[in-house]
Each structure stands twice: as structure tokens, then as C-alpha cells.
């Protein structure tokens, strides 16, 4: 599945969203995906080769890099995008289920449905009431939870929202405290 298909699926959810939900979905896709696709690779691409430590001890640079970057920023952001998109997919599944349920009940009452009737059923907007309301509210709740958790993870994993220019590493096999320099730290500061 590519990004375009994901956007089409979630765009269907946008039909049932409130105005705030529509803005939120737009921000997710316009800003996050554009930043992820366009800017992230050039800034965070092959980061380990640009991580410089003032030692020639074999393995020291790799251990220090792993200590200060336990998870790639790109992978964390992709994982965040997947997690915050999943509740919207559940809303989309609920809508598809309700539409299929209505189609079956109409077919029981009227027999075989014409193509135009099926298309009209698909285009009809569901009201946000009952179980659909709970699905929608639950999806919003989990999106907020996932956003909060990933923001905390970013803060916790990297020691704040500012990227340090210099980090000091004393992990084995480094012979002593080693200074390591991060490339383009100002550009990487969140």
C-alpha cells in the first residue's frame, strides 16, 4: 500500500469528521507526509556516517551512536503516522460495515439493488449517533493518546526537543570519555 491509497482511505473518513477533525487530518497528511518524504531523508538520511567522534578505537563510534540515537527519528515518525492513522481506519471500517448492513437490509426488502441505488447508498452520509458516535469519539481519544505518547517518546529518547551539538560517551569499547559531534544539530532541533 502506498501513501496515496492511505490518503484515499482516510479521506473517506474526512467526510464524517467535524471541522477540527478535517483540519487535523489535513495537517497529518500535508505537513507530516510532505516533511517525511521531502525533508527528512536529506536531514536525517545517513546520519551515522556524519556522526564524528574524536577517537579511532574500533567500535566506539557505533556504540556511542547507538547510545544517543536508540531509534531512528524517521522510523519513530513513520510509526507515529501509522499509529495516529489507525483509529481513523477503524472509523472507516465502521462506516463500511454500516453501509453493508444497510445494503443487506434493502436487498432483503426489495430484492436485487440496481447499480444507482448501491452508489447512492455509498454516497449517503451517516449521522454520528449511537455506536458510530462511540467509534468516532474513541478514535479521537486514541489519536490524542498516541500523539501524547509519541511526543513523550521523542522527548525521552533524545533527552528533550533540542539536539545537542556535542555528546560525551564513555561506553565500552571506548577507552575514556569521548566527545562525539552531531551533524547539523540546529537543523534537527524539533
Amino acid at each position: 500500500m502506498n501513501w496515496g491509497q492511505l490518503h484515499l482511505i482516510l479521506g473517506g473518513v474526512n467526510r464524517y469528521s467535524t471541522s477540527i477533525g478535517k483540519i487535523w487530518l489535513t495537517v497529518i497528511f500535508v505537513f507530516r507526509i510532505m516533511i517525511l518524504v521531502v525533508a527528512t531523508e536529506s536531514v536525517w538520511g545517513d546520519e551515522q556516517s556524519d556522526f564524528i567522534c574524536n577517537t579511532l578505537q574500533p567500535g566506539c563510534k557505533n556504540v556511542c551512536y547507538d547510545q544517543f540515537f536508540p531509534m531512528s527519528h524517521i522510523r519513530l515518525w513513520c510509526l507515529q503516522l501509522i499509529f495516529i492513522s489507525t483509529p481513523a481506519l477503524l472509523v472507516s471500517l465502521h462506516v463500511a460495515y454500516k453501509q453493508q448492513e444497510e445494503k443487506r437490509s434493502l436487498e432483503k426488502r426489495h430484492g436485487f439493488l440496481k447499480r444507482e441505488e448501491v452508489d447512492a447508498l455509498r454516497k449517503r452520509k451517516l449521522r454520528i449517533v449511537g455506536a458510530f458516535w462511540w467509534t468516532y469519539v474513541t478514535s479521537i481519544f486514541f489519536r490524542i493518546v498516541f500523539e501524547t505518547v509519541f511526543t513523550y517518546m521523542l522527548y525521552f529518547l533524545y533527552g528533550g526537543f533540542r539536539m545537542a551539538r556535542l555528546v560525551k560517551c564513555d561506553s565500552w569499547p571506548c577507552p575514556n570519555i569521548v566527545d562525539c559531534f552531531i551533524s547539523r544539530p540546529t537543523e534537527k532541533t524539533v
Side-chain angles (χ1 to χ4, degrees):
M1 177 159 51
N2 63 25
W3 292 115
Q5 289 173 326
L6 183 62
H7 186 265
L8 283 175
I9 291 169
L10 294 176
V13 174
N14 213 5
R15 282 184 30 195
Y16 301 100
S17 295
T18 61
S19 56
I20 294 171
K22 289 177 184 180
I23 292 169
W24 194 353
L25 207 59
T26 303
V27 166
I28 287 172
F29 283 97
V30 170
F31 294 115
R32 290 192 179 170
I33 290 181
M34 291 303 291
I35 288 171
L36 201 59
V37 171
V38 176
T40 308
E41 192 60 37
S42 63
V43 175
W44 291 96
D46 185 20
E47 183 57 30
Q48 192 167 1
S49 65
D50 295 333
F51 187 75
I52 299 168
C53 294
N54 63 359
T55 184
L56 295 176
Q57 177 74 23
C60 182
K61 177 181 172 183
N62 291 342
V63 169
C64 291
Y65 183 81
D66 190 50
Q67 178 181 342
F68 292 105
F69 297 103
M71 182 178 192
S72 163
H73 277 72
I74 297 172
R75 285 189 183 98
L76 182 66
W77 291 330
C78 286
L79 195 61
Q80 180 181 15
L81 188 62
I82 289 167
F83 269 79
I84 63 171
S85 299
T86 301
L89 290 174
L90 294 176
V91 170
S92 184
L93 287 173
H94 190 110
V95 168
Y97 171 76
K98 284 300 223 184
Q99 287 174 340
Q100 187 65 26
E101 198 175 69
E102 282 186 41
K103 181 182 172 190
R104 280 192 197 130
S105 71
L106 285 174
E107 284 176 343
K108 273 186 182 178
R109 283 187 275 168
H110 303 293
F112 183 74
L113 295 177
K114 295 177 186 172
R115 180 78 174 155
E116 297 85 30
E117 293 172 324
V118 173
D119 289 340
L121 185 64
R122 281 192 188 136
K123 289 180 182 176
R124 193 169 66 199
K125 191 173 177 178
L126 289 179
R127 293 185 56 216
I128 302 178
V129 294
F132 186 51
W133 184 83
W134 283 107
T135 303
Y136 185 72
V137 169
T138 304
S139 76
I140 291 172
F141 172 76
F142 278 106
R143 279 195 229 173
I144 291 169
V145 167
F146 290 144
E147 291 280 8
T148 305
V149 166
F150 275 95
T151 303
Y152 175 75
M153 283 176 60
L154 182 71
Y155 184 85
F156 178 74
L157 284 175
Y158 303 109
F161 297 118
R162 295 193 63 76
M163 185 62 60
R165 297 176 186 279
L166 169 75
V167 291
K168 296 190 180 284
C169 177
D170 60 354
S171 299
W172 185 86
C174 298
N176 52 9
I177 296 175
V178 176
D179 292 336
C180 296
F181 302 92
I182 299 171
S183 67
R184 303 184 309 275
T186 306
E187 190 175 11
K188 293 175 184 162
T189 295
V190 176

